[in-house]
Amino acid sequence: MAPAPHPLQMLSVQETETARGIVLATHPDHVIEFRQVDLKEPVKKDLVQYLQLEHAGQLTEKSTRPPRMAKCHYDIIAADRTIEYYEAIIDLEQGKMVENKAVGKEFSPSLTLGEFDTLIEVCEASSVFKAAIEELKLPSHMEVIIEPWPYGSLEVGDEPGRYFQGLVYARDTRNGNNPDSNFYSFPIPLIPVVDYHKRELVRIERLATGGKGDGLKAAARDSTKHPLAHCTTAEYVPELIQGGVRKDLKELSVIQPDGPSFKVSDGSLVEWQKWRFRVSFTAREGVIIHDVQYDNRDVFYRLSISEMTVPYADPRAPFHRKQAFDFGEGGAGMCANNLSLGCDCLGAIKYFDAVTVERDGKVKVQPNVICLHEQDNGIGWKHTNWRTNRAVVTRNRELVVQFILTLANYEYVFAYKFNLSGEVDIEVRATGIVSCVNIDAGKVSEYGNVVNPGVLAQNHQHIFAVRIDPAIDGHANTVIQEESVPEPMNAKTNPMGNFYRVVQTPITRSQWADAAPLSSRIFKIVNPSKLNPISMKPVGYKLVPPPTQLLLADRRSLQAKRALYAQHHVWVTKYKEGELWAAGPYPFQSQGEVGGVQDMVDRGDNVENEDVVVWSVFGLTHNPRVEDWPVMPVEIHQIQLKPADFFTANPSIDVPSSKNLASKLVANGSCCEGKGLTLNGANGINGSTNGVVH
Amino acid sequence: MAPAPHPLQMLSVQETETARGIVLATHPDHVIEFRQVDLKEPVKKDLVQYLQLEHAGQLTEKSTRPPRMAKCHYDIIAADRTIEYYEAIIDLEQGKMVENKAVGKEFSPSLTLGEFDTLIEVCEASSVFKAAIEELKLPSHMEVIIEPWPYGSLEVGDEPGRYFQGLVYARDTRNGNNPDSNFYSFPIPLIPVVDYHKRELVRIERLATGGKGDGLKAAARDSTKHPLAHCTTAEYVPELIQGGVRKDLKELSVIQPDGPSFKVSDGSLVEWQKWRFRVSFTAREGVIIHDVQYDNRDVFYRLSISEMTVPYADPRAPFHRKQAFDFGEGGAGMCANNLSLGCDCLGAIKYFDAVTVERDGKVKVQPNVICLHEQDNGIGWKHTNWRTNRAVVTRNRELVVQFILTLANYEYVFAYKFNLSGEVDIEVRATGIVSCVNIDAGKVSEYGNVVNPGVLAQNHQHIFAVRIDPAIDGHANTVIQEESVPEPMNAKTNPMGNFYRVVQTPITRSQWADAAPLSSRIFKIVNPSKLNPISMKPVGYKLVPPPTQLLLADRRSLQAKRALYAQHHVWVTKYKEGELWAAGPYPFQSQGEVGGVQDMVDRGDNVENEDVVVWSVFGLTHNPRVEDWPVMPVEIHQIQLKPADFFTANPSIDVPSSKNLASKLVANGSCCEGKGLTLNGANGINGSTNGVVH
């Protein structure tokens, strides 16, 4: 018999099928549709106990193992097609459902890609939709494309129900009918709204296409022309780019002749340069990093991206309903790219698959959704003794766990980066195609920027929440806010005026806090019971909260009420089982954040020397540039988790000096001619000294 | 005859020798010592005229060429060893001095490395210094090391003069008398002060070594022990590291089989992926980037690092005098590393030499002070059409111009990075050994952190000023401050509360401004006379000012008076010939900033549609961690200059999709076994499609 999977190992195909079977068997007389089936992580106290044995090398056959569980999200479909939404927990070893909860009608489950398909089918079958398109008198080479979106919030006048909206574009079929021709440059000023339960088109919104001075209502369009008459192509697939792709960018390859420095074992365990952690993946969160240790010391229990909201700022109805919650509504894991199809990394790459379940219960392998590789990030540390001219320099090697989402027009590249200096960075790169709508010829708008003729890219924000469940040498931690503050000149403490004071304020009750970069405000997560033997300060890691703009929407708006989390940079809460969602578990079609960080904070828990959770909120206000079109260059944001008196010295001090013999000397752009290049440094990675490269 | 060098070409050895000869010939009866000899850049209007012809391909033999000039900084040494400091301009073609200015005694020239040598010689020869060391009763295996520093400001009680101070350490000779053993872990609590003119030790400061609660004065030390008795080694050179360097970090190489994509010609001209610029180097600034064009359009006239100050916050005298100005006092170019000795890059590397002049007039080649190479920076842009599953992804290639300074204990890695998306980033990595002083055994301090037994790393800041001389499609530019601001919910403009307003404020008079990240404040440098044909907005580049903490010292302190520039994030001034220095031309031993950005701004010049200069100030408040010891991991900061409606689309849209055939598939850490890895994407860099890698 194969050994039992590790408690953090993602569900296998077989386990997922078992869980599905148990759900179906529970409801023999009903139509069931599945939303998600994922590992139900063991409760923390059980898992911690197990991990402690594992870390100590004391696991035996007889050790208590947390039961292997699955969490199933599914619907019972009624005759009128309305859904009853359930969340069940299945004990896979006992083969039975141990919990089953009908989620109240006040909450809506997140969307599935199957629901998106339904939206498209309903529109395409709708004579009303067809008539609305025909009204526009588009030329016959324009093929209509519907881009499904969540609906936003229910509003006054909406019947209760489950809604989706569609942005509508047209694809110009004249260039060989290429299915990847960029249809976003032809925005059709219609938004159909569909009731998913009824499978009905509820209405079609006619969109304002005016510009500055036209106000909130649609201005009169030139009715002699169809609304795409002034739009032009803007292609990004290489074979359609005008003039073709450039030819003068020469190959740059990353070679690891001895293979990678990392090791993956036991399905999910990654070991690299004293780091040790496990990787898993869920439909909602994408990659999760568990049980992070450095040199056998606990650092983090769990790292994840909890939520992201993307509110749009165009005040013209119905654009205020463009507000996506890409994790809670969309499902980051569900929308993850197959990375080997995108060729997204250089070097020696390890891919991980995930298992997913389709609407009809079909269990599928979702291949290559996570990639793992090493990368070089420039100089790691350097010092030259100017007396002897001896330079010692190391490279900053990183281990990267990456996943990439495509959400309709847009993509996000998420990376957890571990480096040689004991640091974990969580990076997001925003790219893809900016969301856009039609604007009349020759107009400009204060609601966005014209990025292609007839194309208005609307102003918007992206606000992320990263969930950090720390374990700084154990689970009883305290978060300390630290600032560097000026001290007025005074004879007693600051006679020459050069002193500044470092002020620490421990956070004792659950609360939010904001970034204050002009005070160098940082948050140290420390273990108050363990002092660094050198500095005599508690061992810790620090978070420098990125001081990015918070949610701009008026506090009374639905956008703001649905995303309370996006209104502060840092939230400190006490760990509670299952509390993983910054904007609450059910943002889909929500009218306000329920069960999110604001509610957690409102409990007023003691968080001093406790099992705390830190939520880091950051983002970007994105007023599009023309350069963001047709596909935008990555906009990079990251948070850094850095050791702060956690170690007794720079943990990368024993990294060998770089002396890379593969590097080449260039004489004025022609490689490798001229004199040899002598690279100094002892104990090089390649094991030889004073290599000469020609 | 060889063609005349380009007007921006650095001086050759021969030109430098010519300049030196003319200076010497001007003063046949005096002792002359040299400080710097550099190219005197042509005045802007002449150079612009020349460059315009060059850009248009209209240069001929008969074109007016700005005269080739050198700027010489030198001293006339009087009999009493006081110096008269001169700045002369030499016309190299006419072979004559065209300007010679004796700089007033109220200003002090920047230091030279020769002066540092003098400090050490004077101390070593001083019986007073010897006696002070003997008093400490250090064991005989401790060799005293003096680390020269600028003096800071003259203070009440100081005779007029030119001073230096020395930090004092000891090297433990017991480990094979290795000259690179880290002496900073043995700080001796003395600072000798030397009068450079008199070649005399003025006094020795006895340093306080107390801790928290001991106040500003030295507390009684345990006189039965010498002050290094509790100090221990902390090595960074590989052969001295305890346990040796790690062996499990496998080789990662960057290979460019077809050579680099860049071309260097005409001595200083760099061309890469539609970018075109010139590189030069001076003793004060290090690398300068000139005449930056993209696709034959002007973008920047000149980019440089203007200044950096490093004030220390320990209030105990004389530590308030620890305030370095590493460009204006130290000379970034003078302290630049020979990069081939440090093996600082991967890939295909082009090095540039500079020419330097020593104190005695000896002209020397300073080899490999600049390096140029390409690097990969992850995904550049990506989009997947989820309908077809077609992913198009490009890599973010960068061209890096790098130089590295060593200033006593500390290093800075500066890089100008040009990327495929039309962006220029100016990055600094702070590394090296933190400045430290002695602290009594068992004590901690509010003035810094104990990073090794007996070693207090003092709190300090690093504040940089980057000078940006823009040329956005020409030299008449305007700087616009732009913010995204909430709009209260109201029926007329914001009925649903989701709208926010983008507010632009042109800067009309020279002024400072601060970062305001919570308003997404950015600064757009635009050409108001040229509209982007797509967005109908003026073409521009934007600066997102890093919202880092400004100078903390009390405004009445000498530290603050000497660094007015460090008190705001952005300064906008009108171009004036020779105004290159944020803290003024003469920060050495200054008592206040004279001729710096504050004075420039005070002129109240019109800066709208003018030849403007933008100064970006940013930095880090560095309260050292134990992890920063003995050599600190790089702390990375950068400013980004991004096109903002400068182009009519993403300029990297024609970059070929990456499909790197050198990448390998990893099965659980053993490279290259298992199934092949298929990498999709058309028109790959390698020219083939659907490559399969085994």
Side-chain angles (χ1 to χ4, degrees):
Chain A
M1 204 184 101
H6 189 276
L8 288 168
Q9 177 65 36
M10 293 180 267
L11 296 187
S12 66
V13 168
Q14 199 193 332
E15 288 174 319
T16 309
E17 284 172 343
T18 301
R20 177 198 55 190
I22 293 168
V23 168
L24 292 175
T26 308
H27 303 284
D29 304 324
H30 289 95
V31 177
I32 301 295
E33 289 187 358
F34 287 85
R35 295 187 168 276
Q36 300 167 20
V37 177
D38 280 312
L39 175 72
K40 161 79 175 67
E41 284 173 34
V43 297
K44 189 167 184 177
K45 77 169 172 36
D46 297 346
L47 183 56
V48 164
Q49 203 166 37
Y50 180 91
L51 294 175
Q52 279 168 350
L53 291 175
E54 182 187 347
H55 299 160
Q58 293 168 352
L59 275 183
T60 67
E61 295 278 311
K62 292 177 195 150
S63 304
T64 308
R65 208 172 257 280
R68 192 82 183 142
M69 307 275 214
K71 181 155 193 185
C72 301
H73 302 242
Y74 67 95
D75 298 335
I76 297 180
I77 311 291
D80 66 354
R81 282 174 172 156
T82 58
I83 62 179
E84 240 184 311
Y85 170 54
Y86 283 85
E87 294 177 0
I89 295 173
I90 312 288
D91 187 317
L92 294 166
E93 288 155 15
Q94 296 189 39
K96 68 173 190 192
M97 192 179 281
V98 293
E99 197 184 300
N100 199 16
K101 186 181 73 167
V103 176
K105 294 283 179 203
E106 67 276 27
F107 299 116
S108 298
S110 61
L111 58 87
T112 66
L113 299 180
E115 291 179 316
F116 272 2
D117 293 340
T118 299
L119 166 88
I120 296 174
E121 287 158 20
V122 169
C123 290
E124 285 178 350
S126 159
S127 57
V128 176
F129 183 72
K130 274 182 213 153
I133 294 289
E134 270 162 27
E135 244 174 53
L136 300 175
K137 301 202 172 15
L138 302 180
S140 61
H141 60 262
M142 287 297 189
E143 182 186 87
V144 171
I145 307 266
I146 299 164
E147 180 94 325
W149 268 65
Y151 180 68
S153 286
L154 284 196
E155 283 171 37
V156 177
D158 283 330
E159 298 273 321
R162 184 167 172 87
Y163 292 92
F164 288 89
Q165 59 184 333
L167 272 58
V168 187
Y169 299 92
R171 185 167 62 85
D172 188 334
T173 59
R174 286 176 301 178
N175 42 25
N177 199 15
N178 189 317
D180 292 300
S181 178
N182 179 16
F183 53 80
Y184 295 100
S185 68
F186 299 101
I188 295 179
L190 298 175
I191 288 187
V193 175
V194 164
D195 181 323
Y196 174 72
H197 292 158
K198 299 190 177 149
R199 304 287 202 272
E200 265 180 25
L201 186 79
V202 176
R203 65 179 181 276
I204 294 181
E205 312 260 15
R206 262 75 182 173
L207 306 181
T209 59
K212 209 164 182 171
D214 289 336
L216 302 182
K217 294 285 166 221
R221 256 198 322 111
D222 180 348
S223 60
T224 65
K225 291 180 179 158
H226 69 81
L228 305 179
H230 59 301
C231 297
T232 61
T233 55
E235 302 292 0
Y236 69 90
V237 293
E239 69 273 23
L240 294 180
I241 285 179
Q242 242 191 339
V245 296
R246 62 181 76 180
K247 306 271 185 275
D248 58 346
L249 189 63
K250 296 189 182 163
E251 182 185 334
L252 185 151
S253 297
V254 173
I255 303 290
Q256 301 190 256
D258 307 321
S261 316
F262 60 78
K263 190 182 146 197
V264 179
S265 60
D266 196 16
S268 60
L269 181 66
V270 179
E271 290 170 285
W272 178 78
Q273 300 297 308
K274 301 181 192 167
W275 287 107
R276 179 191 191 278
F277 58 88
R278 287 190 184 263
V279 170
S280 78
F281 191 90
T282 67
R284 180 155 176 168
E285 296 160 284
V287 168
I288 306 161
I289 305 289
H290 303 271
D291 190 26
V292 180
Q293 291 197 305
Y294 189 97
D295 213 4
N296 299 318
R297 290 172 64 191
D298 287 346
V299 185
F300 300 106
Y301 178 72
R302 193 180 194 277
L303 298 173
S304 60
I305 321 289
S306 175
E307 193 51 273
M308 161 176 40
T309 189
V310 190
Y312 283 78
D314 191 328
R316 298 172 297 177
F319 296 132
H320 63 287
R321 275 202 276 94
K322 285 178 75 176
Q323 179 184 24
F325 287 81
D326 289 334
F327 285 64
E329 279 183 343
M334 218 157 57
C335 303
N337 290 188
N338 178 337
L339 296 176
S340 76
L341 295 177
C343 188
D344 302 299
C345 304
L346 301 181
I349 309 158
K350 158 77 183 166
Y351 293 101
F352 295 85
D353 300 336
V355 173
T356 189
V357 62
E358 306 216 319
R359 202 91 180 93
D360 61 4
K362 190 174 163 201
V363 175
K364 269 197 3 182
V365 171
Q366 210 181 345
N368 307 319
V369 287
I370 311 173
C371 70
L372 179 73
H373 73 288
E374 289 174 277
Q375 69 188 19
D376 176 79
N377 183 15
I379 289 175
W381 57 261
K382 181 175 188 180
H383 182 59
T384 301
N385 182 348
W386 57 267
R387 291 158 191 81
T388 63
N389 219 14
R390 167 86 178 271
V392 182
V393 55
T394 63
R395 303 295 296 179
N396 190 12
R397 185 83 65 94
E398 296 174 330
L399 180 69
V400 184
V401 187
Q402 184 175 268
F403 69 112
I404 304 182
L405 317 184
T406 296
L407 293 138
N409 52 299
Y410 214 64
E411 357 278 306
Y412 300 93
V413 182
F414 289 98
Y416 296 88
K417 303 187 292 184
F418 297 80
N419 78 17
L420 297 174
S421 303
E423 186 175 332
V424 184
D425 296 342
I426 303 174
E427 181 194 85
V428 53
R429 296 179 177 225
T431 180
I433 299 181
V434 288
S435 185
C436 57
V437 297
N438 195 296
I439 183 169
D440 301 338
K443 293 186 179 173
V444 298
S445 171
E446 53 183 333
Y447 309 141
N449 203 17
V450 178
V451 295
N452 211 56
V455 176
L456 179 69
Q458 294 162 311
N459 295 339
H460 60 282
Q461 298 188 279
H462 305 253
I463 305 187
F464 304 88
V466 172
R467 184 178 179 278
I468 302 158
D469 186 344
I472 306 299
D473 271 333
H475 297 274
N477 292 165
T478 298
V479 180
I480 295 173
Q481 178 178 302
E482 182 179 297
E483 297 188 341
S484 298
V485 298
E487 170 103 336
M489 206 156 164
N490 75 87
K492 186 145 179 265
T493 65
N494 193 16
M496 301 305 294
N498 64 311
F499 176 54
Y500 63 84
R501 202 173 280 280
V502 179
V503 176
Q504 293 198 328
T505 314
I507 294 179
T508 56
R509 294 275 150 197
S510 55
Q511 67 169 72
W512 54 258
D514 284 331
L518 300 190
S519 308
S520 284
R521 186 181 288 170
I522 60 168
F523 294 87
K524 280 187 178 162
I525 309 169
V526 305
N527 184 328
S529 310
K530 192 170 166 205
L531 297 186
N532 183 302
I534 305 287
S535 70
M536 302 303 287
K537 292 178 180 160
V539 296
Y541 261 70
K542 69 177 176 183
L543 165 71
V544 184
T548 53
Q549 190 164 36
L550 293 163
L551 193 78
L552 275 160
D554 188 293
R555 292 295 167 264
R556 294 162 289 179
S557 68
L558 281 165
Q559 278 191 356
K561 287 178 185 164
R562 301 176 76 199
L564 301 178
Y565 86 87
Q567 298 167 34
H568 295 291
H569 290 112
V570 176
W571 301 80
V572 180
T573 63
K574 185 174 169 187
Y575 180 84
K576 194 176 163 192
E577 208 60 43
E579 268 186 356
L580 296 171
W581 317 120
Y586 305 110
F588 186 89
Q589 221 167 281
S590 74
Q591 297 189 289
E593 182 184 298
V594 176
V597 283
Q598 182 68 58
D599 288 337
M600 301 175 206
V601 152
D602 285 347
R603 287 198 301 266
D605 293 329
N606 173 43
V607 290
E608 205 172 6
N609 202 13
E610 267 292 356
D611 190 359
V612 293
V613 176
V614 179
W615 310 72
S616 172
V617 173
F618 61 95
L620 57 148
T621 296
H622 188 188
N623 306 333
R625 310 171 294 161
V626 175
E627 287 83 358
D628 294 332
W629 187 259
V631 183
M632 71 176 271
V634 288
E635 181 88 22
I636 305 175
H637 288 259
Q638 68 176 6
I639 62 167
Q640 301 183 311
L641 296 163
K642 290 190 182 198
D645 293 7
F646 186 77
F647 297 103
T648 53
N650 176 354
S652 63
I653 204 70
D654 68 337
V655 169
S657 312
S658 67
K659 188 183 63 260
N660 188 290
L661 297 183
S663 295
K664 302 280 187 205
L665 187 72
V666 175
N668 292 342
S670 323
C671 187
C672 322
E673 60 190 41
K675 60 186 172 174
L677 161 62
T678 304
L679 304 174
N680 257 349
N683 285 329
I685 289 175
N686 295 326
S688 63
T689 53
N690 286 326
V692 178
V693 178
H694 296 285
Chain B
M1 205 184 100
H6 188 275
L8 288 167
Q9 177 64 37
M10 293 181 268
L11 296 186
S12 66
V13 168
Q14 198 193 333
E15 287 175 320
T16 310
E17 283 172 343
T18 301
R20 177 197 56 190
I22 292 168
V23 168
L24 291 175
T26 308
H27 302 286
D29 304 324
H30 290 94
V31 177
I32 302 294
E33 288 186 0
F34 287 85
R35 295 188 166 275
Q36 299 167 20
V37 177
D38 279 313
L39 174 73
K40 162 77 175 68
E41 284 173 35
V43 297
K44 190 167 183 178
K45 75 169 173 39
D46 297 345
L47 183 56
V48 164
Q49 202 166 37
Y50 180 90
L51 295 176
Q52 279 169 348
L53 290 175
E54 182 188 347
H55 300 158
Q58 294 169 353
L59 275 182
T60 67
E61 295 278 310
K62 289 177 195 151
S63 303
T64 308
R65 206 172 259 279
R68 192 82 184 141
M69 306 274 214
K71 181 155 193 184
C72 301
H73 301 243
Y74 66 96
D75 299 336
I76 298 179
I77 311 291
D80 66 355
R81 283 175 170 154
T82 59
I83 61 178
E84 239 183 311
Y85 170 55
Y86 282 85
E87 294 177 1
I89 295 172
I90 313 289
D91 186 318
L92 293 165
E93 288 155 15
Q94 297 189 38
K96 68 173 190 191
M97 193 178 279
V98 293
E99 196 184 302
N100 200 17
K101 183 182 76 166
V103 176
K105 294 285 179 200
E106 68 276 28
F107 298 116
S108 297
S110 62
L111 59 85
T112 67
L113 299 180
E115 291 179 315
F116 272 2
D117 293 341
T118 300
L119 166 88
I120 296 173
E121 286 158 21
V122 168
C123 289
E124 285 178 349
S126 158
S127 56
V128 175
F129 183 73
K130 274 182 213 154
I133 293 290
E134 271 162 26
E135 244 173 51
L136 300 175
K137 298 199 176 14
L138 302 181
S140 61
H141 60 262
M142 287 298 190
E143 183 187 87
V144 171
I145 307 268
I146 299 164
E147 180 94 324
W149 269 63
Y151 181 68
S153 285
L154 283 197
E155 284 171 35
V156 178
D158 283 330
E159 299 271 323
R162 184 168 172 85
Y163 293 91
F164 289 89
Q165 60 184 332
L167 271 58
V168 187
Y169 299 91
R171 184 167 64 84
D172 188 334
T173 59
R174 287 176 302 179
N175 42 26
N177 199 15
N178 189 317
D180 292 300
S181 178
N182 179 15
F183 52 81
Y184 295 101
S185 68
F186 299 101
I188 295 177
L190 298 175
I191 288 186
V193 174
V194 164
D195 181 324
Y196 175 72
H197 292 158
K198 296 189 179 152
R199 305 287 202 273
E200 263 180 24
L201 186 81
V202 175
R203 67 181 179 275
I204 293 180
E205 312 261 15
R206 262 77 181 173
L207 305 181
T209 59
K212 209 163 180 170
D214 289 337
L216 301 182
K217 294 286 166 219
R221 257 201 319 112
D222 180 349
S223 61
T224 65
K225 291 180 178 158
H226 69 81
L228 304 179
H230 59 301
C231 298
T232 61
T233 56
E235 302 292 1
Y236 68 91
V237 294
E239 69 272 24
L240 294 179
I241 286 179
Q242 243 190 338
V245 295
R246 63 181 74 181
K247 306 272 184 274
D248 58 346
L249 189 64
K250 295 189 183 162
E251 182 184 333
L252 186 152
S253 297
V254 173
I255 303 291
Q256 300 190 260
D258 307 321
S261 315
F262 60 78
K263 190 182 146 198
V264 179
S265 60
D266 196 17
S268 60
L269 181 65
V270 178
E271 289 168 285
W272 178 79
Q273 299 297 307
K274 302 182 192 166
W275 286 107
R276 180 191 191 276
F277 58 87
R278 288 189 185 263
V279 170
S280 77
F281 192 90
T282 67
R284 180 156 177 168
E285 296 160 285
V287 168
I288 305 160
I289 306 289
H290 304 270
D291 189 26
V292 179
Q293 292 197 304
Y294 188 97
D295 213 3
N296 299 317
R297 290 171 64 191
D298 288 346
V299 185
F300 300 105
Y301 179 72
R302 193 182 195 276
L303 299 172
S304 59
I305 322 289
S306 176
E307 192 52 273
M308 161 178 38
T309 189
V310 189
Y312 283 78
D314 190 330
R316 298 171 298 177
F319 296 133
H320 64 286
R321 274 202 276 94
K322 283 177 78 175
Q323 179 184 25
F325 287 81
D326 288 336
F327 284 65
E329 279 182 345
M334 217 156 59
C335 303
N337 290 189
N338 178 338
L339 297 176
S340 76
L341 295 177
C343 187
D344 302 300
C345 306
L346 301 181
I349 309 158
K350 159 77 183 167
Y351 291 102
F352 294 85
D353 301 335
V355 172
T356 189
V357 62
E358 306 216 317
R359 201 93 180 93
D360 61 4
K362 192 174 161 200
V363 175
K364 266 196 7 182
V365 172
Q366 211 181 342
N368 307 320
V369 287
I370 309 173
C371 71
L372 178 72
H373 73 289
E374 289 173 276
Q375 69 188 19
D376 176 79
N377 184 15
I379 288 174
W381 57 260
K382 180 175 188 180
H383 183 58
T384 301
N385 183 348
W386 58 267
R387 291 159 191 79
T388 62
N389 218 15
R390 167 86 178 271
V392 182
V393 55
T394 63
R395 304 294 299 178
N396 190 11
R397 186 83 65 92
E398 297 174 329
L399 180 69
V400 184
V401 186
Q402 182 175 271
F403 69 113
I404 304 182
L405 316 186
T406 296
L407 294 137
N409 52 299
Y410 214 65
E411 358 278 305
Y412 299 93
V413 182
F414 290 98
Y416 296 88
K417 301 188 293 184
F418 297 80
N419 79 17
L420 297 175
S421 302
E423 185 176 333
V424 184
D425 296 343
I426 304 174
E427 181 195 83
V428 52
R429 296 178 177 226
T431 180
I433 299 181
V434 288
S435 186
C436 58
V437 297
N438 196 296
I439 183 169
D440 301 339
K443 292 185 178 174
V444 296
S445 171
E446 53 182 333
Y447 308 141
N449 204 17
V450 177
V451 294
N452 211 56
V455 175
L456 179 69
Q458 295 162 311
N459 294 339
H460 60 283
Q461 297 187 278
H462 305 254
I463 304 185
F464 303 88
V466 172
R467 184 178 180 277
I468 302 158
D469 187 343
I472 305 298
D473 272 331
H475 298 274
N477 292 164
T478 298
V479 180
I480 295 174
Q481 179 178 303
E482 181 179 298
E483 297 188 341
S484 297
V485 298
E487 170 102 335
M489 206 153 162
N490 75 87
K492 184 145 180 264
T493 65
N494 193 17
M496 301 305 294
N498 65 312
F499 176 55
Y500 63 83
R501 203 172 278 281
V502 178
V503 177
Q504 293 198 327
T505 315
I507 294 179
T508 56
R509 294 275 152 197
S510 55
Q511 67 169 71
W512 54 259
D514 285 332
L518 300 190
S519 308
S520 285
R521 186 181 288 170
I522 60 168
F523 294 86
K524 280 188 177 159
I525 308 169
V526 305
N527 184 328
S529 311
K530 194 173 164 201
L531 296 187
N532 183 301
I534 306 288
S535 70
M536 303 301 287
K537 292 178 181 161
V539 295
Y541 261 70
K542 69 177 175 183
L543 166 70
V544 184
T548 53
Q549 190 164 38
L550 293 163
L551 193 77
L552 276 161
D554 187 294
R555 292 294 167 264
R556 295 161 289 179
S557 68
L558 281 164
Q559 278 190 357
K561 287 179 184 162
R562 299 176 76 199
L564 301 179
Y565 85 88
Q567 298 168 32
H568 295 291
H569 290 113
V570 176
W571 301 79
V572 180
T573 63
K574 185 173 170 190
Y575 180 85
K576 193 176 165 193
E577 207 59 45
E579 268 186 353
L580 296 171
W581 317 119
Y586 306 111
F588 186 89
Q589 221 168 280
S590 75
Q591 297 189 290
E593 183 184 297
V594 176
V597 281
Q598 182 67 58
D599 287 338
M600 301 175 205
V601 152
D602 286 346
R603 286 198 302 266
D605 292 329
N606 174 44
V607 290
E608 204 171 8
N609 202 14
E610 266 292 356
D611 190 0
V612 294
V613 176
V614 179
W615 311 71
S616 171
V617 173
F618 60 97
L620 58 148
T621 296
H622 188 189
N623 306 331
R625 310 171 295 162
V626 175
E627 287 83 358
D628 292 333
W629 186 260
V631 183
M632 71 177 270
V634 287
E635 180 89 22
I636 305 176
H637 288 258
Q638 68 176 7
I639 62 168
Q640 301 183 312
L641 296 163
K642 290 191 183 199
D645 293 6
F646 186 77
F647 297 102
T648 54
N650 176 353
S652 62
I653 204 70
D654 69 336
V655 170
S657 311
S658 67
K659 188 185 62 262
N660 188 290
L661 297 183
S663 295
K664 302 282 186 204
L665 187 71
V666 175
N668 292 342
S670 325
C671 186
C672 322
E673 61 191 41
K675 62 186 170 174
L677 161 61
T678 302
L679 304 175
N680 257 351
N683 284 330
I685 289 174
N686 295 325
S688 62
T689 53
N690 286 327
V692 177
V693 178
H694 297 284

